[in-house]
Amino acid sequence: MNKFIFLLLLLPAISFSQNTEKIARIDSVLTYLYQRQLFNGTVLIGEKGKVLYKKAFGIADPRTKTPLTASSSFNLGSVSKQFFTMMIMILKEQGKLNYDDAVQKYLPSFPYPTITIRHLMNQTSGLPEYFDIAIGDLTLADTLNNESMLALLAAKKPDLVFQPGSQWQYCNTNYTTLASVIEKVSGTTADQFFQQHIAGPLKLSNTYIYNLEMKSYPPSRVFGFSYEKGIPVLNDLVRLDGIVGDGNVYSSVEDMYAWDQALYTEKLVKHSTFKEAITTGKLNNGEATQYGFGWFINAPDKTVSHTGGWVGFATLITRYIDKNQTIVVLTNSSDARAMSYVRKIWEGESIPLPTTHLITNVNVIDGSGLAAFPAAVRIVDDRISDIGSLTPFPNESVTNGNGKILAPGFIDSHSHHGSGLDTDPSAIAATSQGITTIVIGQDGSSEPIDSLRAWIRKTPVSINVATYTGQSTLREIFMQGDVLRKATDVEIDSMKVLLAMELDKGSLGLSTGLEYEAAFYSSPSEVIELAKTTAAKGGRYISHLRSEDVSLEEAISEILEIGRQAKIPVQISHIKIAMRSKWGSSDKIIRQLEDARLQGINITADIYPYTMWNSTPRVLFPNKDFESLSSAEFATRELFDPAASVMVRYTPNKAWQGKTVSEIAAINQETPAQSLLRIIRESAAPDEGATIVATSMSETDINNFLKWPYTNVCSDGAMKGHPRGHGAFPRVLGRYVREQQLMPLETAIHKMTSLTAENIGIQQRGLIAPGYFADLVLFDPETIIDNATVENSGLLSTGVHYVWVNGKLVYQDQKAIANFSGRFVKRM
Ligand SMILES: [Zn+2]
């Protein structure tokens, strides 16, 4: 056979088989999605007038369960826009208007004299979005329509977002205004004009404009819905839907294909007229946009498309005009993902299918504080998709919760686990407690966001990480390490610039460690200036106070003043009373905090459930007089119990590590105060260091602070050292909730999850709710307890069975699971 003829015969065969393969793949993916309640709708794929694929999946109405067909009519949402521009093109060909006419020529009350019809069609008018204008003026009984919208524009005359023609910005008001122009110029309703000039001539029997002010609707109308507790529930038109132009054309996949094919002919308008609709618009400066008249121009002369999304509905038309191929996807179950799957498979892209996982037979404590309830919870990819009496989909993986508690993963608002992630990216110290998000950058010291993100990308971790930006770190940078003094105005200005940049990159806010020397000498006004910068960016303030003992009251007044002056939410880190003669004053402090809240200061706190803290022994000298014996004596009397306080790290003499200060005193035949001075002196030498776990709080105060409704739980823990690093959260649930019955379990979970998310300013975590990230912990409320002690601080807790981070299992029964699914979490 002649080679040339052979090739000619082969080519169509290849393209035919490629199409067949793609369609088989699309059909199996749609089936997979439909079986998992991730798709409900109709799809059509056509080429050169021939339908290659046409199929309906699911129901047209959640109440009647009527099956969808290829002639069922969906609300097209914004795919409607192309029909309204077609009506304008028809009116132009009828000689009734010109694109460059001022809108005012037809709508005299329209308050912007320089906006033209072309600006509206091209989305370059600068009009503001009508939802925002209308919503404040609508009562619950009102339905918005085009006339009332136009009256609102005339009455309010909201500022333009930009000068007409100077920018491109997608805006629905452009198209509601176009509908008003069509009605005015044609002297009829948009729907009548549409039927007469488009639907009628093209015999689109299931295509029409429908709005809520119409008395009845055609039988082909599809209703939007969403799945709630596994059951389809109506999710359809709202009171804005008396309006048309931006949406509210209804059509079926069959009619959409007839429409698409008509656009290759001159049945409606001339080729030259339509050609302009699928050519990019131009700004005043000549720059091309990516939009024509109701069409996105993805690739000029090759691909044009539009998507639509409106309560319950998600729609897509993509036209490959160089090949005369067309995809139409119409969905009514509030789930848009099928659209991109169909389009990407057709365009030859590979895409991973969503995975679903069902956790059955659990008692859900959802984090809101509401009572536990029995349910199953479904995860789709990284999100919670549904909660209720759910049954597994075909071949779905299932975890049986055996009646245990399923709660949102715990958020640790004050964590030092970050520094240990290098050596243990599984973060088992935290995940074994049920913690799924750690908040670092505490006590005034932080890492730059860029390096943190780069590092998490390079070394994936099993836990989410959010961070504050630390004041001491800013001081170190801009005061060249000379931090034992007040910062100058110039230095403060530099700090503010960097802080603002970090906030833009997702920092939660400003953290301070005012008790520590790197910040102790800063003036209150420096902190307030930085807090104002933080407030302007929507960030928050969290602080290890200037004093937790001798000057605690003044330190609390300082943080309240910061909240008052900078108008910023303020959080007290690890609230405590670390001074014996002040024990029992927690009631008084709480009253002070409550008073401040009444004055409008958003003050909150976090707390860890131990009577001992962990820090440098230098904090035992509130006046920074590290050589004063009388101060050391005061410390041993008031600030810590030398017999119950352990040097967990002591580099000058490792033999003393693990010994109490009293034991060290006995070895040296001196008083504990003298030993304290010795410890300070020896560990101050270059390259030496000391860490003490010091017992200094009372259980009564811990109970009071823990119960305060605005206190969330934190660990303040690290991978090593104080047992809180491995035990804080299970200790609250076992010791304070189960054994001491300090508060209901639901309240404690709230203080570990959604209250924390609120206190630190992150969203979509901290609740078990549809759409939230699937950070989850399954635990046994009967057995959960911490095991870590000062002597054995790495012991894992009992009773935590499963922990998921972003939908992936990272911990199961004392073992880390190597799914490093943690992410950097930004302030929202
Ligand atoms: Zn601290």
Side-chain angles (χ1 to χ4, degrees), residues 443-463:
D443 304 309
S445 144
S446 62
E447 297 287 328
I449 303 265
D450 284 344
S451 52
L452 196 58
R453 299 191 78 158
W455 167 68
I456 291 175
R457 262 198 306 275
K458 196 167 140 248
T459 317
V461 294
S462 287
I463 200 156

Side-chain angles (χ1 to χ4, degrees), residues 574-612:
H574 42 61
I575 191 168
K576 63 171 74 79
I577 300 173
M579 183 166 163
R580 191 180 301 263
S581 58
K582 290 187 180 179
W583 285 357
S585 65
S586 46
D587 285 333
K588 208 176 113 210
I589 289 171
I590 287 169
R591 276 198 303 278
Q592 188 187 358
L593 301 180
E594 290 283 356
D595 283 348
R597 290 191 66 87
L598 286 175
Q599 293 163 30
I601 299 169
N602 184 0
I603 176 89
T604 55
D606 55 37
I607 189 168
Y608 56 82
Y610 296 85
T611 54
M612 52 202 178

